Amino acid sequence: RKEVEQDPGPFNVPEGATVAFNCTYSNSASQSFFWYRQDCRKEPKLLMSVYSSGNEDGRFTAQLNRASQYISLLIRDSKLSDSATYLCVVNGASSASKIIFGSGTRLSIRP
Amino acid sequence: EAQVTQNPRYLITVTGKKLTVTCSQNMNHEYMSWYRQDPGLGLRQIYYSMNVEVTDKGDVPEGYKVSRKEKRNFPLILESPSPNQTSLYFCASSLGGSSYNEQFFGPGTRLTVL
C-alpha cells in the first residue's frame, strides 16, 4: 500500500461546480498535512496547510480526519484558473522525517 | 526576490558521465530537499537536509549523492547516471530545521540520460 494515495482523476467539471478530492495516508503518527497545486510543467506551490480543526481560504476548504487517516480538499464555485494538479503532502512522525507526496489529482474546469 | 534557483534547467547527457545539479536559496532556510517527479509516481524525495552538514535519505536515494557545506546550497550529484534517472528534478527549501513547514520549490531541472 502506498504511504499517501490520491485518486489520479482526471476530474473534468463545469465552471461553477463544487469538486472534492480525498487523500489517504498510512502513517497514523503523521503530524503535518498540506495541499499543493502544480500547473503543467511548473513547480508545486502551497495551496493550503491542513489543520485538525479544518480550515478555509476563500473558495477552498481543507479537512483532516485522523481517525480514518484522510485529508480532503473542497473547491466551491470552481474557476477555469483552478485547472491544475492537486498534490496531497504528508510528513512523517517527527520534524526530522521525510516528506511524502501523493501522485496528484488532475482537475480540468471546462467553460 | 526570495527564490530557489536550480541549474541547469535542461540537461541531456550520456550514461556514466558524472553530473551535478546545483540548488541555491536566498531565504536563509535550514531545510532543503531534492525530489524527482515521474508520470504516475508523483514527487518522490531523494535526499533532504535539516541543516548544514546534516543530510538524510528520502525514499529513492540510490544513485544520488548530496552535500550541504553551506546553508544556501544543496547540490545533487549523479556519479554515474543511468537512463532510469531520466526525470524532472525539483529542489525545495523551507524555514526551520523541520519537515513541518511550507516548502518553496525551484523551477525544476529536466534531465535526460541516453
Side-chain angles (χ1 to χ4, degrees):
Chain A
R1 182 187 169 190
K2 286 185 182 178
E3 291 180 86
V4 176
E5 291 203 67
Q6 292 183 250
D7 183 339
F11 285 65
N12 188 322
V13 303
E15 202 172 1
T18 295
V19 61
F21 310 135
N22 277 349
C23 166
T24 59
Y25 61 94
S26 61
N27 186 349
S28 60
S30 293
Q31 294 295 325
S32 62
F33 310 88
F34 305 91
W35 284 103
Y36 279 73
R37 171 196 167 122
Q38 185 176 25
D39 294 301
C40 190
R41 296 193 182 91
K42 298 278 197 175
E43 72 273 23
K45 292 185 179 176
L46 180 71
L47 178 66
M48 54 199 306
S49 302
V50 186
Y51 303 122
S52 296
S53 55
N55 48 304
E56 190 173 308
D57 183 3
R59 298 181 293 108
F60 299 84
T61 301
Q63 299 272 1
L64 167 63
N65 185 318
R66 284 194 183 273
S68 301
Q69 292 180 214
Y70 74 85
I71 66 173
S72 63
L73 177 68
L74 182 78
I75 305 175
R76 289 181 299 277
D77 188 26
S78 52
K79 312 288 184 196
L80 294 175
S81 57
D82 294 334
S83 297
T85 296
Y86 291 83
L87 305 168
C88 165
V89 182
V90 178
N91 92 325
S94 76
S95 63
S97 59
K98 59 185 180 181
I99 296 170
I100 310 292
F101 277 73
S103 54
T105 297
R106 201 150 53 97
L107 174 66
S108 180
I109 308 297
R110 63 179 186 269
Chain B
E1 180 191 354
Q3 60 183 346
V4 179
T5 56
Q6 294 179 228
N7 282 293
R9 293 289 313 280
Y10 302 91
L11 179 60
I12 300 175
T13 189
V14 295
T15 298
K17 187 175 181 184
K18 181 179 177 180
L19 66 92
T20 299
V21 184
T22 64
C23 172
S24 183
Q25 49 92 8
N26 62 2
M27 296 171 278
N28 202 36
H29 285 170
E30 287 82 4
Y31 189 100
M32 296 188 74
S33 185
W34 274 104
Y35 298 87
R36 61 177 289 172
Q37 186 171 31
D38 302 289
L41 297 176
L43 278 91
R44 292 178 292 167
Q45 197 173 34
I46 302 171
Y47 271 95
Y48 61 99
S49 169
M50 304 285 288
N51 214 324
V52 176
E53 302 293 0
V54 179
T55 62
D56 280 293
K57 295 178 180 179
D59 272 334
V60 288
E62 296 77 21
Y64 304 94
K65 283 174 58 176
V66 293
S67 68
R68 188 92 183 273
K69 295 186 172 63
E70 308 164 279
K71 199 175 194 179
R72 63 183 292 124
N73 296 323
F74 191 45
L76 179 70
I77 302 155
L78 285 72
E79 294 271 4
S80 183
S82 62
N84 64 13
Q85 292 178 297
T86 293
S87 188
L88 177 59
Y89 291 86
F90 287 104
C91 179
S93 72
S94 63
L95 189 62
S98 109
S99 61
Y100 287 166
N101 301 317
E102 174 187 0
Q103 292 189 84
F104 295 84
F105 284 82
T109 295
R110 189 167 289 280
L111 172 66
T112 301
V113 183
L114 302 174

mmCIF file with all atom_site columns, all heavy atoms in Angstrom, chain B residues 21-44:
data_model
loop_
_atom_site.group_PDB
_atom_site.id
_atom_site.type_symbol
_atom_site.label_atom_id
_atom_site.label_alt_id
_atom_site.label_comp_id
_atom_site.label_asym_id
_atom_site.label_entity_id
_atom_site.label_seq_id
_atom_site.pdbx_PDB_ins_code
_atom_site.Cartn_x
_atom_site.Cartn_y
_atom_site.Cartn_z
_atom_site.occupancy
_atom_site.B_iso_or_equiv
_atom_site.pdbx_formal_charge
_atom_site.auth_seq_id
_atom_site.auth_comp_id
_atom_site.auth_asym_id
_atom_site.auth_atom_id
_atom_site.pdbx_PDB_model_num
ATOM 1   N N   . VAL B 1 21 ? 23.705 18.887 -10.367 1.00 0.00 ? 21 VAL B N   1
ATOM 2   C CA  . VAL B 1 21 ? 22.647 19.886 -10.500 1.00 0.00 ? 21 VAL B CA  1
ATOM 3   C C   . VAL B 1 21 ? 22.724 20.776 -9.259  1.00 0.00 ? 21 VAL B C   1
ATOM 4   O O   . VAL B 1 21 ? 22.668 20.270 -8.127  1.00 0.00 ? 21 VAL B O   1
ATOM 5   C CB  . VAL B 1 21 ? 21.260 19.234 -10.597 1.00 0.00 ? 21 VAL B CB  1
ATOM 6   C CG1 . VAL B 1 21 ? 20.204 20.305 -10.833 1.00 0.00 ? 21 VAL B CG1 1
ATOM 7   C CG2 . VAL B 1 21 ? 21.222 18.201 -11.711 1.00 0.00 ? 21 VAL B CG2 1
ATOM 8   N N   . THR B 1 22 ? 22.877 22.052 -9.481  1.00 0.00 ? 22 THR B N   1
ATOM 9   C CA  . THR B 1 22 ? 23.014 22.953 -8.333  1.00 0.00 ? 22 THR B CA  1
ATOM 10  C C   . THR B 1 22 ? 21.656 23.453 -7.867  1.00 0.00 ? 22 THR B C   1
ATOM 11  O O   . THR B 1 22 ? 20.699 23.547 -8.642  1.00 0.00 ? 22 THR B O   1
ATOM 12  C CB  . THR B 1 22 ? 23.905 24.150 -8.665  1.00 0.00 ? 22 THR B CB  1
ATOM 13  O OG1 . THR B 1 22 ? 23.271 24.926 -9.690  1.00 0.00 ? 22 THR B OG1 1
ATOM 14  C CG2 . THR B 1 22 ? 25.271 23.687 -9.150  1.00 0.00 ? 22 THR B CG2 1
ATOM 15  N N   . CYS B 1 23 ? 21.577 23.752 -6.582  1.00 0.00 ? 23 CYS B N   1
ATOM 16  C CA  . CYS B 1 23 ? 20.376 24.329 -5.985  1.00 0.00 ? 23 CYS B CA  1
ATOM 17  C C   . CYS B 1 23 ? 20.822 25.369 -4.979  1.00 0.00 ? 23 CYS B C   1
ATOM 18  O O   . CYS B 1 23 ? 21.690 25.091 -4.131  1.00 0.00 ? 23 CYS B O   1
ATOM 19  C CB  . CYS B 1 23 ? 19.554 23.249 -5.299  1.00 0.00 ? 23 CYS B CB  1
ATOM 20  S SG  . CYS B 1 23 ? 18.164 23.920 -4.339  1.00 0.00 ? 23 CYS B SG  1
ATOM 21  N N   . SER B 1 24 ? 20.219 26.537 -5.051  1.00 0.00 ? 24 SER B N   1
ATOM 22  C CA  . SER B 1 24 ? 20.583 27.601 -4.131  1.00 0.00 ? 24 SER B CA  1
ATOM 23  C C   . SER B 1 24 ? 19.323 28.350 -3.705  1.00 0.00 ? 24 SER B C   1
ATOM 24  O O   . SER B 1 24 ? 18.428 28.579 -4.514  1.00 0.00 ? 24 SER B O   1
ATOM 25  C CB  . SER B 1 24 ? 21.564 28.555 -4.825  1.00 0.00 ? 24 SER B CB  1
ATOM 26  O OG  . SER B 1 24 ? 21.981 29.548 -3.935  1.00 0.00 ? 24 SER B OG  1
ATOM 27  N N   . GLN B 1 25 ? 19.274 28.716 -2.422  1.00 0.00 ? 25 GLN B N   1
ATOM 28  C CA  . GLN B 1 25 ? 18.135 29.506 -1.928  1.00 0.00 ? 25 GLN B CA  1
ATOM 29  C C   . GLN B 1 25 ? 18.648 30.719 -1.156  1.00 0.00 ? 25 GLN B C   1
ATOM 30  O O   . GLN B 1 25 ? 19.690 30.642 -0.494  1.00 0.00 ? 25 GLN B O   1
ATOM 31  C CB  . GLN B 1 25 ? 17.200 28.649 -1.062  1.00 0.00 ? 25 GLN B CB  1
ATOM 32  C CG  . GLN B 1 25 ? 17.854 27.834 0.026   1.00 0.00 ? 25 GLN B CG  1
ATOM 33  C CD  . GLN B 1 25 ? 17.936 28.506 1.380   1.00 0.00 ? 25 GLN B CD  1
ATOM 34  O OE1 . GLN B 1 25 ? 17.376 29.579 1.599   1.00 0.00 ? 25 GLN B OE1 1
ATOM 35  N NE2 . GLN B 1 25 ? 18.631 27.860 2.325   1.00 0.00 ? 25 GLN B NE2 1
ATOM 36  N N   . ASN B 1 26 ? 17.904 31.810 -1.258  1.00 0.00 ? 26 ASN B N   1
ATOM 37  C CA  . ASN B 1 26 ? 18.333 33.065 -0.624  1.00 0.00 ? 26 ASN B CA  1
ATOM 38  C C   . ASN B 1 26 ? 17.424 33.462 0.529   1.00 0.00 ? 26 ASN B C   1
ATOM 39  O O   . ASN B 1 26 ? 17.314 34.648 0.873   1.00 0.00 ? 26 ASN B O   1
ATOM 40  C CB  . ASN B 1 26 ? 18.413 34.180 -1.670  1.00 0.00 ? 26 ASN B CB  1
ATOM 41  C CG  . ASN B 1 26 ? 17.063 34.478 -2.320  1.00 0.00 ? 26 ASN B CG  1
ATOM 42  O OD1 . ASN B 1 26 ? 16.047 33.880 -1.965  1.00 0.00 ? 26 ASN B OD1 1
ATOM 43  N ND2 . ASN B 1 26 ? 17.051 35.400 -3.255  1.00 0.00 ? 26 ASN B ND2 1
ATOM 44  N N   . MET B 1 27 ? 16.727 32.492 1.110   1.00 0.00 ? 27 MET B N   1
ATOM 45  C CA  . MET B 1 27 ? 15.756 32.782 2.175   1.00 0.00 ? 27 MET B CA  1
ATOM 46  C C   . MET B 1 27 ? 16.268 32.379 3.556   1.00 0.00 ? 27 MET B C   1
ATOM 47  O O   . MET B 1 27 ? 15.517 32.406 4.533   1.00 0.00 ? 27 MET B O   1
ATOM 48  C CB  . MET B 1 27 ? 14.443 32.053 1.857   1.00 0.00 ? 27 MET B CB  1
ATOM 49  C CG  . MET B 1 27 ? 13.807 32.565 0.579   1.00 0.00 ? 27 MET B CG  1
ATOM 50  S SD  . MET B 1 27 ? 12.396 31.563 0.034   1.00 0.00 ? 27 MET B SD  1
ATOM 51  C CE  . MET B 1 27 ? 13.228 30.213 -0.801  1.00 0.00 ? 27 MET B CE  1
ATOM 52  N N   . ASN B 1 28 ? 17.517 31.957 3.635   1.00 0.00 ? 28 ASN B N   1
ATOM 53  C CA  . ASN B 1 28 ? 18.108 31.534 4.910   1.00 0.00 ? 28 ASN B CA  1
ATOM 54  C C   . ASN B 1 28 ? 17.366 30.336 5.525   1.00 0.00 ? 28 ASN B C   1
ATOM 55  O O   . ASN B 1 28 ? 17.280 30.195 6.744   1.00 0.00 ? 28 ASN B O   1
ATOM 56  C CB  . ASN B 1 28 ? 18.143 32.695 5.917   1.00 0.00 ? 28 ASN B CB  1
ATOM 57  C CG  . ASN B 1 28 ? 19.192 32.482 7.000   1.00 0.00 ? 28 ASN B CG  1
ATOM 58  O OD1 . ASN B 1 28 ? 20.262 31.932 6.742   1.00 0.00 ? 28 ASN B OD1 1
ATOM 59  N ND2 . ASN B 1 28 ? 18.894 32.912 8.211   1.00 0.00 ? 28 ASN B ND2 1
ATOM 60  N N   . HIS B 1 29 ? 16.865 29.462 4.652   1.00 0.00 ? 29 HIS B N   1
ATOM 61  C CA  . HIS B 1 29 ? 16.135 28.292 5.118   1.00 0.00 ? 29 HIS B CA  1
ATOM 62  C C   . HIS B 1 29 ? 17.094 27.207 5.575   1.00 0.00 ? 29 HIS B C   1
ATOM 63  O O   . HIS B 1 29 ? 18.127 26.960 4.942   1.00 0.00 ? 29 HIS B O   1
ATOM 64  C CB  . HIS B 1 29 ? 15.255 27.733 3.995   1.00 0.00 ? 29 HIS B CB  1
ATOM 65  C CG  . HIS B 1 29 ? 14.036 28.556 3.744   1.00 0.00 ? 29 HIS B CG  1
ATOM 66  N ND1 . HIS B 1 29 ? 13.220 28.351 2.656   1.00 0.00 ? 29 HIS B ND1 1
ATOM 67  C CD2 . HIS B 1 29 ? 13.474 29.573 4.447   1.00 0.00 ? 29 HIS B CD2 1
ATOM 68  C CE1 . HIS B 1 29 ? 12.219 29.196 2.704   1.00 0.00 ? 29 HIS B CE1 1
ATOM 69  N NE2 . HIS B 1 29 ? 12.354 29.959 3.780   1.00 0.00 ? 29 HIS B NE2 1
ATOM 70  N N   . GLU B 1 30 ? 16.697 26.522 6.668   1.00 0.00 ? 30 GLU B N   1
ATOM 71  C CA  . GLU B 1 30 ? 17.524 25.424 7.145   1.00 0.00 ? 30 GLU B CA  1
ATOM 72  C C   . GLU B 1 30 ? 17.264 24.134 6.360   1.00 0.00 ? 30 GLU B C   1
ATOM 73  O O   . GLU B 1 30 ? 18.175 23.383 6.064   1.00 0.00 ? 30 GLU B O   1
ATOM 74  C CB  . GLU B 1 30 ? 17.245 25.160 8.640   1.00 0.00 ? 30 GLU B CB  1
ATOM 75  C CG  . GLU B 1 30 ? 17.810 26.201 9.592   1.00 0.00 ? 30 GLU B CG  1
ATOM 76  C CD  . GLU B 1 30 ? 16.932 27.422 9.726   1.00 0.00 ? 30 GLU B CD  1
ATOM 77  O OE1 . GLU B 1 30 ? 15.833 27.461 9.135   1.00 0.00 ? 30 GLU B OE1 1
ATOM 78  O OE2 . GLU B 1 30 ? 17.352 28.369 10.437  1.00 0.00 ? 30 GLU B OE2 1
ATOM 79  N N   . TYR B 1 31 ? 15.994 23.864 6.069   1.00 0.00 ? 31 TYR B N   1
ATOM 80  C CA  . TYR B 1 31 ? 15.606 22.582 5.465   1.00 0.00 ? 31 TYR B CA  1
ATOM 81  C C   . TYR B 1 31 ? 15.671 22.687 3.949   1.00 0.00 ? 31 TYR B C   1
ATOM 82  O O   . TYR B 1 31 ? 15.100 23.602 3.343   1.00 0.00 ? 31 TYR B O   1
ATOM 83  C CB  . TYR B 1 31 ? 14.180 22.234 5.913   1.00 0.00 ? 31 TYR B CB  1
ATOM 84  C CG  . TYR B 1 31 ? 13.700 20.842 5.561   1.00 0.00 ? 31 TYR B CG  1
ATOM 85  C CD1 . TYR B 1 31 ? 13.709 19.822 6.508   1.00 0.00 ? 31 TYR B CD1 1
ATOM 86  C CD2 . TYR B 1 31 ? 13.200 20.545 4.299   1.00 0.00 ? 31 TYR B CD2 1
ATOM 87  C CE1 . TYR B 1 31 ? 13.250 18.543 6.216   1.00 0.00 ? 31 TYR B CE1 1
ATOM 88  C CE2 . TYR B 1 31 ? 12.755 19.277 3.991   1.00 0.00 ? 31 TYR B CE2 1
ATOM 89  C CZ  . TYR B 1 31 ? 12.775 18.277 4.952   1.00 0.00 ? 31 TYR B CZ  1
ATOM 90  O OH  . TYR B 1 31 ? 12.326 17.011 4.657   1.00 0.00 ? 31 TYR B OH  1
ATOM 91  N N   . MET B 1 32 ? 16.371 21.738 3.333   1.00 0.00 ? 32 MET B N   1
ATOM 92  C CA  . MET B 1 32 ? 16.406 21.655 1.874   1.00 0.00 ? 32 MET B CA  1
ATOM 93  C C   . MET B 1 32 ? 16.215 20.213 1.452   1.00 0.00 ? 32 MET B C   1
ATOM 94  O O   . MET B 1 32 ? 16.527 19.281 2.217   1.00 0.00 ? 32 MET B O   1
ATOM 95  C CB  . MET B 1 32 ? 17.723 22.213 1.320   1.00 0.00 ? 32 MET B CB  1
ATOM 96  C CG  . MET B 1 32 ? 17.897 23.699 1.603   1.00 0.00 ? 32 MET B CG  1
ATOM 97  S SD  . MET B 1 32 ? 19.325 24.431 0.784   1.00 0.00 ? 32 MET B SD  1
ATOM 98  C CE  . MET B 1 32 ? 18.766 24.529 -0.922  1.00 0.00 ? 32 MET B CE  1
ATOM 99  N N   . SER B 1 33 ? 15.716 20.051 0.232   1.00 0.00 ? 33 SER B N   1
ATOM 100 C CA  . SER B 1 33 ? 15.312 18.717 -0.185  1.00 0.00 ? 33 SER B CA  1
ATOM 101 C C   . SER B 1 33 ? 15.390 18.599 -1.695  1.00 0.00 ? 33 SER B C   1
ATOM 102 O O   . SER B 1 33 ? 15.240 19.598 -2.415  1.00 0.00 ? 33 SER B O   1
ATOM 103 C CB  . SER B 1 33 ? 13.872 18.483 0.294   1.00 0.00 ? 33 SER B CB  1
ATOM 104 O OG  . SER B 1 33 ? 13.446 17.182 0.020   1.00 0.00 ? 33 SER B OG  1
ATOM 105 N N   . TRP B 1 34 ? 15.619 17.388 -2.181  1.00 0.00 ? 34 TRP B N   1
ATOM 106 C CA  . TRP B 1 34 ? 15.568 17.085 -3.610  1.00 0.00 ? 34 TRP B CA  1
ATOM 107 C C   . TRP B 1 34 ? 14.483 16.054 -3.870  1.00 0.00 ? 34 TRP B C   1
ATOM 108 O O   . TRP B 1 34 ? 14.343 15.071 -3.109  1.00 0.00 ? 34 TRP B O   1
ATOM 109 C CB  . TRP B 1 34 ? 16.901 16.515 -4.104  1.00 0.00 ? 34 TRP B CB  1
ATOM 110 C CG  . TRP B 1 34 ? 17.895 17.556 -4.484  1.00 0.00 ? 34 TRP B CG  1
ATOM 111 C CD1 . TRP B 1 34 ? 18.984 17.959 -3.773  1.00 0.00 ? 34 TRP B CD1 1
ATOM 112 C CD2 . TRP B 1 34 ? 17.885 18.338 -5.684  1.00 0.00 ? 34 TRP B CD2 1
ATOM 113 N NE1 . TRP B 1 34 ? 19.653 18.946 -4.452  1.00 0.00 ? 34 TRP B NE1 1
ATOM 114 C CE2 . TRP B 1 34 ? 18.999 19.190 -5.632  1.00 0.00 ? 34 TRP B CE2 1
ATOM 115 C CE3 . TRP B 1 34 ? 17.043 18.393 -6.810  1.00 0.00 ? 34 TRP B CE3 1
ATOM 116 C CZ2 . TRP B 1 34 ? 19.299 20.085 -6.651  1.00 0.00 ? 34 TRP B CZ2 1
ATOM 117 C CZ3 . TRP B 1 34 ? 17.341 19.293 -7.812  1.00 0.00 ? 34 TRP B CZ3 1
ATOM 118 C CH2 . TRP B 1 34 ? 18.467 20.125 -7.731  1.00 0.00 ? 34 TRP B CH2 1
ATOM 119 N N   . TYR B 1 35 ? 13.740 16.270 -4.989  1.00 0.00 ? 35 TYR B N   1
ATOM 120 C CA  . TYR B 1 35 ? 12.700 15.357 -5.421  1.00 0.00 ? 35 TYR B CA  1
ATOM 121 C C   . TYR B 1 35 ? 12.902 15.032 -6.892  1.00 0.00 ? 35 TYR B C   1
ATOM 122 O O   . TYR B 1 35 ? 13.441 15.837 -7.649  1.00 0.00 ? 35 TYR B O   1
ATOM 123 C CB  . TYR B 1 35 ? 11.309 15.995 -5.276  1.00 0.00 ? 35 TYR B CB  1
ATOM 124 C CG  . TYR B 1 35 ? 10.921 16.354 -3.877  1.00 0.00 ? 35 TYR B CG  1
ATOM 125 C CD1 . TYR B 1 35 ? 11.274 17.580 -3.328  1.00 0.00 ? 35 TYR B CD1 1
ATOM 126 C CD2 . TYR B 1 35 ? 10.187 15.465 -3.091  1.00 0.00 ? 35 TYR B CD2 1
ATOM 127 C CE1 . TYR B 1 35 ? 10.917 17.918 -2.042  1.00 0.00 ? 35 TYR B CE1 1
ATOM 128 C CE2 . TYR B 1 35 ? 9.818  15.799 -1.801  1.00 0.00 ? 35 TYR B CE2 1
ATOM 129 C CZ  . TYR B 1 35 ? 10.182 17.025 -1.288  1.00 0.00 ? 35 TYR B CZ  1
ATOM 130 O OH  . TYR B 1 35 ? 9.820  17.350 -0.011  1.00 0.00 ? 35 TYR B OH  1
ATOM 131 N N   . ARG B 1 36 ? 12.386 13.874 -7.273  1.00 0.00 ? 36 ARG B N   1
ATOM 132 C CA  . ARG B 1 36 ? 12.221 13.587 -8.680  1.00 0.00 ? 36 ARG B CA  1
ATOM 133 C C   . ARG B 1 36 ? 10.745 13.340 -8.937  1.00 0.00 ? 36 ARG B C   1
ATOM 134 O O   . ARG B 1 36 ? 10.021 12.832 -8.063  1.00 0.00 ? 36 ARG B O   1
ATOM 135 C CB  . ARG B 1 36 ? 13.063 12.401 -9.140  1.00 0.00 ? 36 ARG B CB  1
ATOM 136 C CG  . ARG B 1 36 ? 12.785 11.083 -8.481  1.00 0.00 ? 36 ARG B CG  1
ATOM 137 C CD  . ARG B 1 36 ? 13.656 9.958  -9.077  1.00 0.00 ? 36 ARG B CD  1
ATOM 138 N NE  . ARG B 1 36 ? 13.239 9.598  -10.434 1.00 0.00 ? 36 ARG B NE  1
ATOM 139 C CZ  . ARG B 1 36 ? 13.910 8.762  -11.229 1.00 0.00 ? 36 ARG B CZ  1
ATOM 140 N NH1 . ARG B 1 36 ? 15.022 8.183  -10.801 1.00 0.00 ? 36 ARG B NH1 1
ATOM 141 N NH2 . ARG B 1 36 ? 13.466 8.481  -12.432 1.00 0.00 ? 36 ARG B NH2 1
ATOM 142 N N   . GLN B 1 37 ? 10.298 13.746 -10.119 1.00 0.00 ? 37 GLN B N   1
ATOM 143 C CA  . GLN B 1 37 ? 8.886  13.577 -10.467 1.00 0.00 ? 37 GLN B CA  1
ATOM 144 C C   . GLN B 1 37 ? 8.790  12.795 -11.761 1.00 0.00 ? 37 GLN B C   1
ATOM 145 O O   . GLN B 1 37 ? 9.353  13.181 -12.791 1.00 0.00 ? 37 GLN B O   1
ATOM 146 C CB  . GLN B 1 37 ? 8.182  14.927 -10.636 1.00 0.00 ? 37 GLN B CB  1
ATOM 147 C CG  . GLN B 1 37 ? 6.686  14.802 -10.860 1.00 0.00 ? 37 GLN B CG  1
ATOM 148 C CD  . GLN B 1 37 ? 5.967  16.132 -10.801 1.00 0.00 ? 37 GLN B CD  1
ATOM 149 O OE1 . GLN B 1 37 ? 6.503  17.167 -11.150 1.00 0.00 ? 37 GLN B OE1 1
ATOM 150 N NE2 . GLN B 1 37 ? 4.723  16.101 -10.335 1.00 0.00 ? 37 GLN B NE2 1
ATOM 151 N N   . ASP B 1 38 ? 8.058  11.692 -11.695 1.00 0.00 ? 38 ASP B N   1
ATOM 152 C CA  . ASP B 1 38 ? 7.856  10.819 -12.843 1.00 0.00 ? 38 ASP B CA  1
ATOM 153 C C   . ASP B 1 38 ? 6.373  10.596 -13.044 1.00 0.00 ? 38 ASP B C   1
ATOM 154 O O   . ASP B 1 38 ? 5.612  10.529 -12.069 1.00 0.00 ? 38 ASP B O   1
ATOM 155 C CB  . ASP B 1 38 ? 8.566  9.480  -12.614 1.00 0.00 ? 38 ASP B CB  1
ATOM 156 C CG  . ASP B 1 38 ? 10.055 9.661  -12.358 1.00 0.00 ? 38 ASP B CG  1
ATOM 157 O OD1 . ASP B 1 38 ? 10.753 10.002 -13.322 1.00 0.00 ? 38 ASP B OD1 1
ATOM 158 O OD2 . ASP B 1 38 ? 10.500 9.490  -11.205 1.00 0.00 ? 38 ASP B OD2 1
ATOM 159 N N   . PRO B 1 39 ? 5.927  10.441 -14.301 1.00 0.00 ? 39 PRO B N   1
ATOM 160 C CA  . PRO B 1 39 ? 4.499  10.253 -14.580 1.00 0.00 ? 39 PRO B CA  1
ATOM 161 C C   . PRO B 1 39 ? 3.906  9.096  -13.787 1.00 0.00 ? 39 PRO B C   1
ATOM 162 O O   . PRO B 1 39 ? 4.470  8.003  -13.752 1.00 0.00 ? 39 PRO B O   1
ATOM 163 C CB  . PRO B 1 39 ? 4.486  9.955  -16.086 1.00 0.00 ? 39 PRO B CB  1
ATOM 164 C CG  . PRO B 1 39 ? 5.723  10.591 -16.606 1.00 0.00 ? 39 PRO B CG  1
ATOM 165 C CD  . PRO B 1 39 ? 6.743  10.456 -15.526 1.00 0.00 ? 39 PRO B CD  1
ATOM 166 N N   . GLY B 1 40 ? 2.786  9.353  -13.136 1.00 0.00 ? 40 GLY B N   1
ATOM 167 C CA  . GLY B 1 40 ? 2.101  8.313  -12.378 1.00 0.00 ? 40 GLY B CA  1
ATOM 168 C C   . GLY B 1 40 ? 2.685  8.032  -11.010 1.00 0.00 ? 40 GLY B C   1
ATOM 169 O O   . GLY B 1 40 ? 2.063  7.337  -10.203 1.00 0.00 ? 40 GLY B O   1
ATOM 170 N N   . LEU B 1 41 ? 3.856  8.575  -10.734 1.00 0.00 ? 41 LEU B N   1
ATOM 171 C CA  . LEU B 1 41 ? 4.510  8.312  -9.445  1.00 0.00 ? 41 LEU B CA  1
ATOM 172 C C   . LEU B 1 41 ? 4.564  9.536  -8.548  1.00 0.00 ? 41 LEU B C   1
ATOM 173 O O   . LEU B 1 41 ? 4.930  9.432  -7.379  1.00 0.00 ? 41 LEU B O   1
ATOM 174 C CB  . LEU B 1 41 ? 5.930  7.790  -9.671  1.00 0.00 ? 41 LEU B CB  1
ATOM 175 C CG  . LEU B 1 41 ? 6.034  6.458  -10.409 1.00 0.00 ? 41 LEU B CG  1
ATOM 176 C CD1 . LEU B 1 41 ? 7.488  6.096  -10.649 1.00 0.00 ? 41 LEU B CD1 1
ATOM 177 C CD2 . LEU B 1 41 ? 5.342  5.337  -9.619  1.00 0.00 ? 41 LEU B CD2 1
ATOM 178 N N   . GLY B 1 42 ? 4.248  10.676 -9.072  1.00 0.00 ? 42 GLY B N   1
ATOM 179 C CA  . GLY B 1 42 ? 4.282  11.885 -8.272  1.00 0.00 ? 42 GLY B CA  1
ATOM 180 C C   . GLY B 1 42 ? 5.705  12.293 -7.925  1.00 0.00 ? 42 GLY B C   1
ATOM 181 O O   . GLY B 1 42 ? 6.676  11.845 -8.544  1.00 0.00 ? 42 GLY B O   1
ATOM 182 N N   . LEU B 1 43 ? 5.829  13.126 -6.913  1.00 0.00 ? 43 LEU B N   1
ATOM 183 C CA  . LEU B 1 43 ? 7.152  13.553 -6.450  1.00 0.00 ? 43 LEU B CA  1
ATOM 184 C C   . LEU B 1 43 ? 7.658  12.579 -5.393  1.00 0.00 ? 43 LEU B C   1
ATOM 185 O O   . LEU B 1 43 ? 6.933  12.247 -4.458  1.00 0.00 ? 43 LEU B O   1
ATOM 186 C CB  . LEU B 1 43 ? 7.086  14.955 -5.821  1.00 0.00 ? 43 LEU B CB  1
ATOM 187 C CG  . LEU B 1 43 ? 7.118  16.123 -6.774  1.00 0.00 ? 43 LEU B CG  1
ATOM 188 C CD1 . LEU B 1 43 ? 5.719  16.528 -7.167  1.00 0.00 ? 43 LEU B CD1 1
ATOM 189 C CD2 . LEU B 1 43 ? 7.846  17.305 -6.154  1.00 0.00 ? 43 LEU B CD2 1
ATOM 190 N N   . ARG B 1 44 ? 8.875  12.156 -5.550  1.00 0.00 ? 44 ARG B N   1
ATOM 191 C CA  . ARG B 1 44 ? 9.483  11.273 -4.561  1.00 0.00 ? 44 ARG B CA  1
ATOM 192 C C   . ARG B 1 44 ? 10.748 11.921 -4.032  1.00 0.00 ? 44 ARG B C   1
ATOM 193 O O   . ARG B 1 44 ? 11.566 12.418 -4.805  1.00 0.00 ? 44 ARG B O   1
ATOM 194 C CB  . ARG B 1 44 ? 9.789  9.910  -5.190  1.00 0.00 ? 44 ARG B CB  1
ATOM 195 C CG  . ARG B 1 44 ? 8.543  9.116  -5.552  1.00 0.00 ? 44 ARG B CG  1
ATOM 196 C CD  . ARG B 1 44 ? 8.903  7.796  -6.209  1.00 0.00 ? 44 ARG B CD  1
ATOM 197 N NE  . ARG B 1 44 ? 9.500  7.997  -7.521  1.00 0.00 ? 44 ARG B NE  1
ATOM 198 C CZ  . ARG B 1 44 ? 10.128 7.055  -8.205  1.00 0.00 ? 44 ARG B CZ  1
ATOM 199 N NH1 . ARG B 1 44 ? 10.226 5.839  -7.714  1.00 0.00 ? 44 ARG B NH1 1
ATOM 200 N NH2 . ARG B 1 44 ? 10.631 7.319  -9.396  1.00 0.00 ? 44 ARG B NH2 1
#
